[in-house]
Amino acid sequence: MQTNDNLWFDKIDCIRDKALVELVNGLDVSRDHQNCFDSQSYSSRLLNGLTGKNQARQGEINKALTEGLESTLSWLTALTDSEAYSNLAIQQVNQRVDKLTEHLTHLAGDYMETRSKLEALAAVTSDRLTVLENDIANLKLEVKAKTQLDLVFSRWSAGYWHGFPIATRCYIALEELRWGSFGDFIRSVNDKERSDYLELLRNKVIEQLAVDSGSAVKERIDSQTWIEHSAEKTREAVEFLGDWCLEYKHPATFFVTQDWEKAPLYMPRIISATKLGNYLTEEVFGQEDA
């Protein structure tokens, strides 16, 4: 992918977090060191484009992708140490590193260097998680969550994602929040606070969907209206973000992210901003309860 083709990735902050997690999930310490993961995978191409800010940096990344597991772990450690990645991404990386470390103890052969690199990556993720715990203890996270909520909806209403279909703008906003400070806060609070904040989120989603579509909040319109004008180059990224959804379990998310031709069997053919907003919010944040 050329750098110019990746400019629109800057519009979706959380796609970088998911790409990092996907790459770490793909690591396998039992494979040959020269084949630790496929350098042509969508995740690696995303991180190449998002972190390769200049030719020198791109060269370092390409080298890391070809020199083996130890080099890859060093590269991932440097990336993970960056403040650019969300706490949800760091949590998932930390869980995967713990599993890899446990698996390594059962392997024969000279894996001392690999163990050392894993320990370095684990130290970085542990430090980041400690910072998160302190934020929660000091109630700073709620302020960050409110700020992110305002920022995301300010971007949406200002046309930041104007190049995407209406429903896709909603889905991107929800994923940005789930991967960011808002999601961290939602996962840390009690059921009453979680319910209150999700109600606030749903109301904002419904209002903005209605504004973008030019309809009343409860006015039912053709479901295809919500996904019209999708650009070919944006589909791969949206499909990647929503690859967790199942047609029968998350029909609205599947409709918005995976199927661009027709609505799934479980998706209404006419639907209001209220219904669509409720469905998408419930499905995206329902992942936390799965």
Side-chain angles (χ1 to χ4, degrees):
M1 300 172 66
Q2 299 298 318
T3 303
N4 289 340
D5 294 334
N6 287 333
L7 292 177
W8 59 273
F9 279 124
D10 293 335
K11 301 286 187 181
I12 312 177
D13 293 340
C14 62
I15 200 168
R16 170 186 51 210
D17 299 306
K18 181 174 172 61
L20 176 67
V21 172
E22 290 292 313
L23 273 182
V24 175
N25 283 342
L27 292 177
D28 187 345
V29 296
S30 65
R31 299 180 190 172
D32 181 83
H33 283 199
Q34 298 300 320
N35 298 297
C36 55
F37 61 77
D38 179 6
S39 64
Q40 297 303 311
S41 70
Y42 189 62
S43 300
S44 61
R45 286 192 286 123
L46 270 177
L47 285 177
N48 280 343
L50 289 166
T51 60
K53 299 301 183 183
N54 54 51
Q55 187 174 2
R57 178 59 176 152
Q58 189 66 56
E60 292 174 11
I61 293 172
N62 292 338
K63 182 179 180 182
L65 288 171
T66 58
E67 285 192 345
L69 183 57
E70 285 83 4
S71 295
T72 301
L73 287 170
S74 295
W75 174 56
L76 286 172
T77 300
L79 287 178
T80 305
D81 196 31
S82 167
E83 291 297 325
Y85 292 94
S86 70
N87 288 312
L88 176 59
I90 300 303
Q91 288 174 335
Q92 295 189 16
V93 168
N94 185 257
Q95 292 170 1
R96 177 58 177 163
V97 169
D98 286 344
K99 291 181 180 180
L100 287 173
T101 303
E102 180 181 357
H103 179 58
L104 198 61
T105 62
H106 301 295
L107 294 178
D110 185 11
Y111 281 89
M112 293 300 295
E113 182 69 13
T114 302
R115 181 178 287 108
S116 174
K117 298 297 184 182
L118 276 173
E119 289 173 352
L121 181 55
V124 169
T125 56
S126 295
D127 288 345
R128 290 286 299 274
L129 290 176
T130 298
V131 171
L132 170 61
E133 292 169 1
N134 290 337
D135 277 348
I136 294 173
N138 295 326
L139 299 179
K140 294 178 180 178
L141 195 54
E142 183 171 10
V143 175
K144 294 180 181 179
K146 290 178 178 179
T147 299
Q148 193 204 12
L149 183 63
D150 289 341
L151 176 60
V152 165
F153 278 90
S154 175
R155 285 179 173 178
W156 185 358
S157 63
Y160 194 72
W161 299 303
H162 183 69
F164 293 89
I166 298 172
T168 305
R169 300 170 205 167
C170 175
Y171 175 72
I172 292 173
L174 290 171
E175 285 286 20
E176 294 280 45
L177 291 168
R178 187 177 77 88
W179 283 90
S181 297
F182 184 85
D184 292 335
F185 179 70
I186 288 296
R187 289 184 289 273
S188 72
V189 297
N190 60 43
D191 290 344
K192 177 63 168 60
E193 289 178 298
R194 174 186 169 88
S195 176
D196 288 345
Y197 269 88
L198 288 181
E199 180 181 356
L200 174 63
L201 174 59
R202 281 194 298 270
N203 290 340
K204 285 179 171 290
V205 162
I206 292 168
E207 181 180 1
Q208 193 59 48
L209 282 172
V211 169
D212 282 12
S213 64
S215 63
V217 293
K218 293 188 177 181
E219 179 184 351
R220 296 189 298 170
I221 60 177
D222 188 337
S223 61
Q224 293 297 314
T225 302
W226 299 109
I227 60 168
E228 283 180 346
H229 310 303
S230 58
E232 187 70 31
K233 66 180 182 180
T234 66
R235 295 184 184 182
E236 189 178 21
V238 176
E239 288 172 359
F240 174 70
L241 273 179
D243 64 5
W244 52 269
C245 69
L246 300 173
E247 180 179 358
Y248 69 92
K249 193 174 182 180
H250 316 101
T253 304
F254 188 92
F255 173 58
V256 173
T257 69
Q258 303 299 310
D259 195 329
W260 299 81
E261 301 299 330
K262 57 183 178 59
L265 178 63
Y266 305 93
M267 181 71 184
R269 281 2 186 213
I270 53 174
I271 187 169
S272 66
T274 298
K275 288 290 187 181
L276 182 61
N278 282 332
Y279 288 159
L280 285 173
T281 303
E282 179 180 347
E283 290 173 11
V284 170
F285 281 89
Q287 293 181 73
E288 311 299 338
D289 302 322

